[in-house]
Amino acid sequence: MIQLVKGTKDIYGAEVKAWQSIEGKMRRLCETFGIGEIRTPAFEFTELFVRGVGETTDIVQKEMYTFTDDGDRSLTLRPEGTAGVVRAYIEHGMHNNAQPTKLYYISPTFRCENTQAGRQRQFHQFGVEMLGSYSAAQDAEAISVAAALLEEMGVKGVELRINSLGCPECRGRYNKKLREFIGSNLDRLCPTCKERFEKNPLRVLDCKEESCQAVIANAPSVLDCLDEECTAHFQKVQDILTEMGIPFVVDPKIVRGLDYYTRTVFEFVSDGLTVCGGGRYDNLVEECGGKPTGAVGFGLGIERLVMILEKQNGAIEEHPERDVYIGSMGEKGLIRAQGITLALRKAGVRAECDTVERSVKAQMKYANKIGAKYSVILGDSELESGQVELKEMETGEKETVSLAELAEVLLKKVK
Ligand code: ATP
Ligand code: MG
């Protein structure tokens, strides 16, 4: 038997219901925030992610699913959502529209990572990107979308952690300071970080190895390297979050795993698991060939959100529910039941009937299993009289209804 690929998952049954409900909430929330949906392709030219995400990031170095097509072009399955949205923003001249441009997506995302709890090779991201503003107000608006969603989902104990990486000049100053600090602790770092230290010392702060974490604990703070403007920008983000009533903590160790971030970075953490990460990326649009454009966004892992919800509220259970079961007896009844069921469905009734040709007893057992609220049985006498006994499954109460009025009667009852 061929099994599913490691790090992927089938979503079905009760879980898919939970997903639909979560996605519905995301879409409704975006509607109220004035954020329109965008659907970009699942694969792009590899170059887009190398340039966008950054050469020295874990994603580009070892996590991308890259392949060559028949035209010898290098393509890559989307490892994150921002680069594709930025490409689309430039390609379709969206900067000509009223700014900011606010977009969201719910898309499968692919990273060839070591699988473990909360870490898959195909996962799903709810992402929001807001392009066309440099203001701290835009950062706060983006953060408020994620905060409102987590609040509406009833996720308990999430902590919002924010930090600022400053502009490239501040970052240059910090990199120098960090390199000096790390350099004097080099022997205590993991082999990957020894390499990272040369090319991009900031990446060391994001390392999950315990030995590296111990070193990082005493690292200098990026906030001490921010210039006046970047400091004021970060303060304003905090002032607006406070005004919005969104609690946060400042954590100068947050850098996020993507190279494109400038100034504000943030994450929402629950039970030690990052459910949402994002930040400002003021240079990415230009980097990808567009005009200089301030932008901010985040990605929220739907699997991780489901995991947290399950941990807090218990496993998701399935409660099947159907409005009516149209049982039948005999050949004529079976044929008639198919037509009546379709008519009921078209009228908006969630109807089921026998398509397996079971005995009446087995049909009723099935009606119970699928959670039918009402049932009828169509036999020769019912077909002749045009009247059926409509039975309420829970109480066993029966009433006589004409077949012609069945849809109307049911719609009134189940509404
Ligand atoms: P982490 O530090 O956990 O590796 P990251 O920095 O790689 O996260 P981002 O690239 O910012 O995360 O992605 C945003 C969100 O997508 C994460 O907060 C997480 O919820 C989710 N996510 C990232 N990688 C995975 C994965 N391999 N499996 C499931 N969800 C993931
Ligand atoms: Mg990662």
Side-chain angles (χ1 to χ4, degrees), residues 1-287:
M1 196 224 140
I2 300 169
Q3 293 179 320
L4 54 65
V5 177
K6 192 170 93 172
T8 67
K9 211 178 145 219
D10 299 312
I11 303 160
Y12 63 98
E15 196 175 0
V16 88
K17 289 254 164 71
W19 277 66
Q20 286 170 350
S21 147
I22 291 170
E23 288 171 9
K25 285 188 173 127
M26 289 167 174
R27 293 183 193 283
R28 278 192 297 280
L29 198 76
C30 284
E31 175 63 27
T32 62
F33 275 82
I35 308 168
E37 186 181 1
I38 183 162
R39 301 187 188 193
T40 63
F43 55 85
E44 302 268 0
F45 288 116
T46 302
E47 180 59 20
L48 176 70
F49 300 118
V50 174
R51 249 203 275 172
V53 178
E55 204 105 41
T56 57
T57 58
D58 280 356
I59 292 180
V60 170
Q61 296 247 307
K62 53 183 191 201
E63 295 174 1
M64 296 207 298
Y65 279 101
T66 297
F67 57 98
T68 313
D69 74 357
D70 55 5
D72 234 11
R73 286 170 287 252
S74 179
L75 306 177
T76 293
L77 294 181
R78 160 203 314 125
E80 59 90 57
T82 308
V85 172
V86 166
R87 182 207 36 77
Y89 177 84
I90 301 166
E91 194 156 347
H92 307 296
M94 293 185 202
H95 63 276
N96 292 317
N97 306 338
Q99 296 298 297
T101 296
K102 300 195 275 187
L103 299 166
Y104 83 91
Y105 48 85
I106 298 173
S107 342
T109 309
F110 309 87
R111 291 185 195 173
C112 190
E113 299 201 59
N114 289 330
T115 53
Q116 47 183 284
R119 212 166 276 289
Q120 289 178 220
R121 294 187 167 180
Q122 172 172 342
F123 61 101
H124 296 76
Q125 270 195 0
F126 164 58
V128 167
E129 313 293 346
M130 298 178 164
L131 303 108
S133 169
Y134 290 93
S135 169
Q138 203 62 64
D139 304 49
E141 190 187 24
I143 292 171
S144 75
V145 179
L149 179 76
L150 294 171
E151 187 182 328
E152 193 185 330
M153 298 297 316
V155 181
K156 290 178 286 268
V158 263
E159 187 175 80
L160 166 60
R161 299 177 185 163
I162 63 171
N163 187 25
S164 176
L165 303 176
C167 59
E169 286 76 50
C170 301
R171 209 155 143 169
R173 272 196 302 280
Y174 182 58
N175 271 341
K176 191 160 166 271
K177 231 168 135 178
L178 193 59
R179 203 173 271 127
E180 275 164 24
F181 168 80
I182 296 173
S184 57
N185 291 285
L186 211 51
D187 48 328
R188 290 165 64 199
L189 297 182
C190 74
T192 323
C193 278
K194 283 187 179 125
E195 266 172 54
R196 284 175 176 144
F197 153 75
E198 291 294 340
K199 292 187 210 145
N200 191 351
L202 214 57
R203 288 272 69 81
V204 177
L205 293 189
D206 208 29
C207 184
K208 281 148 191 114
E209 293 289 328
E210 237 168 78
S211 57
C212 298
Q213 282 295 325
V215 173
I216 295 156
N218 302 311
S221 164
V222 62
L223 296 175
D224 296 332
C225 292
L226 299 192
D227 61 22
E228 213 174 299
E229 261 181 80
C230 290
T231 303
H233 191 276
F234 189 43
Q235 186 55 51
K236 197 156 156 186
V237 173
Q238 297 177 54
D239 291 346
I240 300 173
L241 289 176
T242 304
E243 163 64 27
M244 287 172 152
I246 298 173
F248 61 89
V249 295
V250 173
D251 181 346
K253 297 285 150 55
I254 293 175
V255 293
R256 306 299 313 143
L258 305 131
D259 266 354
Y260 49 62
Y261 289 126
T262 51
R263 292 194 163 168
T264 317
V265 285
F266 59 90
E267 56 188 35
F268 287 85
V269 183
S270 170
D271 297 326
L273 205 59
T274 306
V275 61
C276 171
R280 176 163 278 287
Y281 50 91
D282 288 342
N283 301 315
L284 187 58
V285 177
E286 201 178 356
E287 190 77 33

